[in-house]
Amino acid sequence: MNKTVLVGRLTADPELRQTQSGVASCRFTVAVNRRYADKSTGERQADFITCVAWRQTAEFVSRYFSKGKMIAVEGELRNNNYQDRNYPDVTHYCTEVLVDNVEFCGGKNDSGNGSTAPTQSQQAAPSQEPAANFGTLSDFEEILSDGDVPF
């Protein structure tokens, strides 16, 4: 099973693009704090994870999220590789999350301009199941801090 759940902050405004056939795509990076702090400095390090959303999810992310906002992302991890155009013998490898669903998390100040923006599941077709509410980052960290795996 390939399932990825991330809770973190956007490092920049999402980039919304259209394919030649008009399909919306959105690329963004989420900064996710690591579980443990550095022993010498007491600071937490973060991983910067690239995410790609398509169609309605891409439009939703670009409309309601911006740099610094908390986001919960659900999707699958993908490994992609491609040949360099300038150097055909060089292969580039990248890992990114193919986004299935996103949710707001954090307080009112973290979820936008204070307006009540709809969730992605409210905008989606009625046949889709709403996603789980992930809560705030501190709630997620509390679950993991006691050493028990939450599933």
Side-chain angles (χ1 to χ4, degrees), residues 79-83 90-95:
N79 291 317
N80 296 317
N81 57 29
Y82 60 94
Q83 298 302 123
V90 175
T91 303
H92 295 275
Y93 299 92
C94 65
T95 303

Side-chain angles (χ1 to χ4, degrees), residues 56-77:
Q56 292 92 352
T57 305
E59 292 170 359
F60 179 80
V61 170
S62 70
R63 181 176 295 141
Y64 294 110
F65 290 92
S66 59
K67 179 180 179 178
K69 301 298 180 193
M70 290 288 294
I71 189 171
V73 176
E74 180 182 358
E76 57 186 61
L77 199 59

Side-chain angles (χ1 to χ4, degrees), residues 96-115:
E96 57 193 20
V97 174
L98 179 61
V99 177
D100 293 327
N101 194 20
V102 297
E103 292 283 330
F104 295 107
C105 57
K108 252 187 182 176
N109 293 336
D110 283 335
S111 62
N113 57 9
S115 67

Side-chain angles (χ1 to χ4, degrees), residues 18-37:
Q18 301 280 334
T19 64
Q20 290 180 349
S21 59
V23 177
S25 119
C26 182
R27 179 178 292 280
F28 56 96
T29 302
V30 178
V32 179
N33 284 337
R34 292 186 179 170
R35 187 171 175 184
Y36 301 103

Side-chain angles (χ1 to χ4, degrees), residues 74 101-103 119-122 124-133:
E74 180 182 358
N101 194 20
V102 297
E103 292 283 330
T119 65
Q120 181 188 5
S121 34
Q122 288 172 334
S127 63
Q128 293 180 341
E129 269 184 53
N133 184 359

